[in-house]
């Protein structure tokens, strides 16, 4: 079995079609009423990136260059760990020495580095693919349903901002280089209409047991909005790649289980492989939800697979035969995947998406509205299915804490 989680050892009964079509149509309704060209939040400075994550905090420490302005609270956290602020700006963030790789939940720091995620660097970010063996998935299983038949991933219609507005790409740096995942704009219950929250996978923000927080985490909604090919994007502007600009994470939360037990290989931590980002634009003060025009609610009811109905997984697969430039989706009815009787059962659907789609949202329609019910975590080496965690009390606690503690920042 192949996990869709990042590989840091190397780079690089089915419901009737009508029901599936209904889900696709429901998601399409999340598009914005206006295109990104009409969105003031994406005008001017947002195209090249400026400003800082956490710029509204009182007090900042500015290095000798205008490339990075680190909020005082982040600078203080860096100093607590013996990290020089100026050195960080000058490239010390590339130092993954164990003593400087922050690991604890409270140690997340992610100061904005202006201009870091240029179009070419985004396109060259590696897919988050890693493998687990069939033995790993079969060992000490609880109840699993038979592996589903593969469902060929289909391209999302363009422009993405009209058909899947909340979906985008999560970029980050790891010890192995620049990496990419997928993510979804989700609602902030305590700040309706003004959410800055992004749902993704835990392995897209933290390396798990023995590792630490990744760096330079940024979310790009509606990445490559028009679905252009690599050749067409050869001389692309930042705006063509990131029509709404870039949103840097100023805080991230994942499960304690992932931080303690997540692994680079195998299925360890997969049932707890979820995370929430709080983000801010590189420029301007408009919220992420206001900028893209919508956000999805999160369903924490953990419906049994047999009762979940039709679900769809969205993301940007980057491993062959895909290239990470095009948004894809798979729709079907989920089954059960159990990695151990002691762990929560995961959802599993047939899908041919590969690495790069990890962290992408799984959606279902409840009461006429589309909600996020899971996210992509693992899959087999032959790319025939995907599995994602059930989002229960633990996931809700992380989400609620993010809303309460950071939503208004």
């Amino acid at each position: 079995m192949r996990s869709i989680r990042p590989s840091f050892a190397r780079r690089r009964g089915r419901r009737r079609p009508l029901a599936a079509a209904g889900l696709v149509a429901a998601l399409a309704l999340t598009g914005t009423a206006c295109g990104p060209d009409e969105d003031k939040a994406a005008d001017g400075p947002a195209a090249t990136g400026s400003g800082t994550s956490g710029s509204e905090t009182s007090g900042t420490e500015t290095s000798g260059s205008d490339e990075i302005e680190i909020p005082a609270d982040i600078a203080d956290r860096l100093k607590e760990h013996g990290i020089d602020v100026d050195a960080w700006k000058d490239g010390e963030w590339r130092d993954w020495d164990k003593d400087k790789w922050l690991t604890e939940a409270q140690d997340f720091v992610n100061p904005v580095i202006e201009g870091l995620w240029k179009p070419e660097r985004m396109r060259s970010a590696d897919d988050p693919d890693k493998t687990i063996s069939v033995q790993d998935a079969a060992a000490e299983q609880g109840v699993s349903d038979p592996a589903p038949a593969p469902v060929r991933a289909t391209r999302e219609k363009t422009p993405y901002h009209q058909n899947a507005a909340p979906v985008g790409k999560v970029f980050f740096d790891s010890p192995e280089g620049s990496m990419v995942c997928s993510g979804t704009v989700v609602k902030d219950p305590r700040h309706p209409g003004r959410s800055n929250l992004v749902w993704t996978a835990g392995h897209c923000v933290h390396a798990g047991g023995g590792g630490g927080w990744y760096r330079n985490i940024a979310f790009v909604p509606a990445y490559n909005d028009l679905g252009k090919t690599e050749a067409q994007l050869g001389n692309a502007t930042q705006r063509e790649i990131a029509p709404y600009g870039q949103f840097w994470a100023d805080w991230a939360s994942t499960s304690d289980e992932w931080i303690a037990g997540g692994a680079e290989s195998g299925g360890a931590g997969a049932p707890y492989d979820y995370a929430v980002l709080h983000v801010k634009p590189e420029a301007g003060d408009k919220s992420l939800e206001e900028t893209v025009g919508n956000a999805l609610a999160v369903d924490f009811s953990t419906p049994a697979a047999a009762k979940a109905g039709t679900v769809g997984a969205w993301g940007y697969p980057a491993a062959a035969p895909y290239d990470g430039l095009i948004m894809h989706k798979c729709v079907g009815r989920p089954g059960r995947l159990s990695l151990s009787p002691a762990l929560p059962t995961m959802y599993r659907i047939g899908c041919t998406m590969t690495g790069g789609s990890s962290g992408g949202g799984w959606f279902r329609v409840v009461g006429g509205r589309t909600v996020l019910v899971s996210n992509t975590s693992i899959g087999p080496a032959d790319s025939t299915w995907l599995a994602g965690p059930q989002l229960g009390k633990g996931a809700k606690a992380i989400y609620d804490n993010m809303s309460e503690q950071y939503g208004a920042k």
Side-chain angles (χ1 to χ4, degrees):
M1 254 192 274
R2 175 185 54 84
S3 170
I4 292 294
R5 298 205 300 275
S7 173
F8 304 108
R10 63 187 181 95
R11 297 292 301 268
R12 298 261 350 147
R14 196 173 301 276
R15 178 172 286 196
R16 293 177 299 167
L18 180 62
L23 176 64
V24 175
L27 186 64
L29 297 178
T30 63
T32 54
C34 61
D37 286 341
E38 298 167 280
D39 194 323
K40 294 180 181 179
D43 286 346
T48 57
S50 63
T52 64
S53 177
S55 58
E56 295 175 12
T57 22
S58 58
T60 59
E61 179 162 337
T62 305
S63 66
S65 164
D66 62 357
E67 289 184 357
I68 178 171
E69 183 177 309
I70 300 180
D73 59 335
I74 294 179
D76 289 343
R77 289 206 298 276
L78 288 171
K79 290 177 181 178
E80 286 174 9
H81 293 277
I83 299 173
D84 181 82
V85 175
D86 289 325
W88 184 274
K89 181 272 301 183
D90 290 334
E92 189 167 300
W93 64 264
R94 297 184 179 90
D95 182 359
W96 296 92
D97 181 89
K98 191 71 174 178
D99 293 336
K100 295 184 178 179
W101 194 4
L102 307 184
T103 63
E104 300 301 322
Q106 68 273 16
D107 290 339
F108 177 79
V109 292
N110 194 53
V112 171
I113 299 178
E114 179 186 341
L116 179 68
W117 290 110
K118 291 181 169 64
E120 178 54 36
R121 194 166 192 264
M122 289 188 200
R123 292 200 299 274
S124 64
D126 212 350
D127 67 87
D129 178 40
K130 82 180 185 74
T131 59
I132 61 176
S133 69
V134 174
Q135 228 175 5
D136 288 330
E140 299 182 350
Q141 279 191 350
V143 178
S144 289
D145 293 316
V151 173
R152 184 173 295 280
T154 59
R155 294 186 173 209
E156 180 54 271
K157 295 178 182 178
T158 58
Y160 297 147
H161 77 267
Q162 290 183 354
N163 293 284
V167 180
K169 297 186 78 167
V170 176
F171 295 92
F172 58 99
D173 279 300
S174 79
E176 298 302 316
S178 57
M179 294 290 200
V180 63
C181 280
S182 299
T184 306
V185 185
V186 294
K187 291 185 179 297
D188 183 338
R190 290 161 186 82
H191 304 90
R194 296 180 291 111
S195 176
N196 284 303
L197 304 184
V198 175
W199 196 277
T200 189
H203 70 266
C204 298
V205 301
H206 194 286
W213 293 104
Y214 296 129
R215 297 169 183 167
N216 305 324
I217 302 173
F219 177 68
V220 177
Y223 173 84
N224 189 20
D225 191 40
L226 298 179
K228 292 185 176 181
T229 65
E230 185 171 6
Q232 292 171 329
L233 291 173
N235 297 312
T237 64
Q238 185 84 348
R239 189 177 184 81
E240 289 177 276
I241 293 288
Y244 292 119
Q246 300 176 20
F247 290 75
W248 280 62
D250 56 2
W251 198 255
S253 291
T254 186
S255 67
D256 290 339
E257 292 87 350
W258 176 259
I259 290 177
E264 295 180 6
S265 61
Y272 305 99
D273 187 15
Y274 44 76
V276 185
L277 303 175
H278 182 272
V279 301
K280 283 194 172 182
E282 281 193 338
D285 56 7
K286 183 179 279 190
S287 72
L288 176 59
E289 182 176 3
E290 291 172 305
T291 300
V292 304
N294 215 310
L296 299 183
V298 183
D299 180 0
F300 295 106
S301 67
T302 61
K307 297 182 179 180
T310 299
V311 302
W314 266 252
Y316 285 84
Y322 307 99
D323 60 10
L325 297 178
I326 308 299
M327 188 190 301
H328 286 75
K329 59 180 180 281
C330 292
V331 179
R333 289 187 67 93
R336 298 169 292 180
L337 175 65
S338 176
L339 300 178
S340 165
L343 296 174
T345 299
M346 301 178 72
Y347 298 120
R348 178 165 61 172
I349 62 170
C351 186
T352 61
M353 283 199 288
T354 59
S357 62
S358 37
W362 289 31
F363 313 127
R364 71 181 189 128
V365 176
V366 179
R369 65 173 186 159
T370 302
V371 296
L372 184 146
V373 71
S374 185
N375 57 262
T376 295
S377 176
I378 57 175
D382 59 357
S383 303
T384 55
W385 53 259
L386 300 175
Q390 293 191 12
L391 306 180
K393 293 181 179 179
K396 188 176 188 302
I398 290 172
Y399 174 73
D400 285 341
N401 182 67
M402 185 68 80
S403 175
E404 292 172 1
Q405 298 297 321
Y406 303 100
K409 292 187 177 181

